[in-house]
Amino acid sequence: MLKLLGSLCILGGGILARYFQAAERRREMDTLSDLLWALRRMAEEIRMARTPMPLLLERLSQGCGETAGAFFRAAADAVRRGESLGTAWRREAEKLPLSAAASSAALAELGEDLCGDEESICKAISLVIYSLAKDAEERTRRRPEEARQSAALWLSGAALLVILLI
């Protein structure tokens, strides 16, 4: 009876670990999608309305999901406190849950480019949007294969532990 209970716990742990991993991937994709939307809107606002940066960042935070919204809100608060936009942007970008190093680096480097003129800012935002969109497309393409591999890994690992337990 004890071995059966242990086996059920191990299998449940494998399934739970797979679920948490899938949830983390979904969270990353949602964050990436929110960032893409916000950066596109940011470029439009800079080009058309010339909205001041702290106000623009605050508006963007309201239209995004939880993680991206917190990113823009923290950057806006830091700018209001007198911190430079580039420093605040880079610090907050490093906290985002993006696993691709290229996406994280591109987003972090954008902070330094946000202090120039309208044309250079929009150009820098466009480059980051391109990089993030390419990353999102690649992740979407790889998603089914990664899901199968992940499920196989977690469930076969749990099954192996059950076999060793019995």
Side-chain angles (χ1 to χ4, degrees):
M1 185 66 172
L2 192 56
K3 287 184 180 184
L4 178 63
L5 185 59
S7 298
L8 289 176
C9 286
I10 290 171
L11 287 174
I15 291 169
L16 192 61
R18 166 67 184 104
Y19 172 77
F20 285 144
Q21 188 177 32
E24 182 62 29
R25 282 197 181 120
R26 269 193 305 277
R27 187 172 144 223
E28 278 185 46
M29 286 300 293
D30 290 346
T31 300
L32 197 56
S33 175
D34 287 342
L35 287 172
L36 280 167
W37 172 84
L39 289 173
R40 287 181 180 123
R41 186 165 170 219
M42 182 183 219
E44 287 176 17
E45 287 280 328
I46 290 171
R47 192 175 301 118
M48 302 296 185
R50 299 176 193 259
T51 307
M53 199 55 79
L55 179 61
L56 176 58
L57 292 173
E58 191 62 40
R59 284 183 188 169
L60 291 175
S61 73
Q62 294 168 359
C64 292
E66 182 181 327
T67 307
F71 164 72
F72 287 113
R73 202 171 307 107
D77 291 343
V79 170
R80 284 194 181 106
R81 287 190 309 265
E83 192 174 337
S84 87
L85 178 60
T87 306
W89 185 277
R90 180 176 293 276
R91 184 186 63 243
E92 296 304 321
E94 290 171 355
K95 294 178 186 176
L96 287 172
L98 299 176
S99 62
S103 295
S104 297
L107 189 62
E109 288 175 14
L110 177 61
E112 301 303 319
D113 297 329
L114 289 176
C115 300
D117 63 338
E118 172 190 330
E119 187 176 326
S120 66
I121 292 172
C122 289
K123 191 181 292 185
I125 291 173
S126 295
L127 288 172
V128 172
I129 288 172
Y130 174 75
S131 174
L132 293 178
K134 195 167 86 172
D135 183 38
E137 182 180 312
E138 180 66 23
R139 287 183 190 202
T140 302
R141 186 184 62 76
R142 287 189 329 233
R143 179 187 272 167
E145 182 63 30
E146 285 180 356
R148 281 192 298 272
Q149 288 175 351
S150 175
L153 176 71
W154 285 110
L155 295 178
S156 64
L160 178 64
L161 285 175
V162 167
I163 291 169
L164 291 174
L165 180 68
I166 295 175

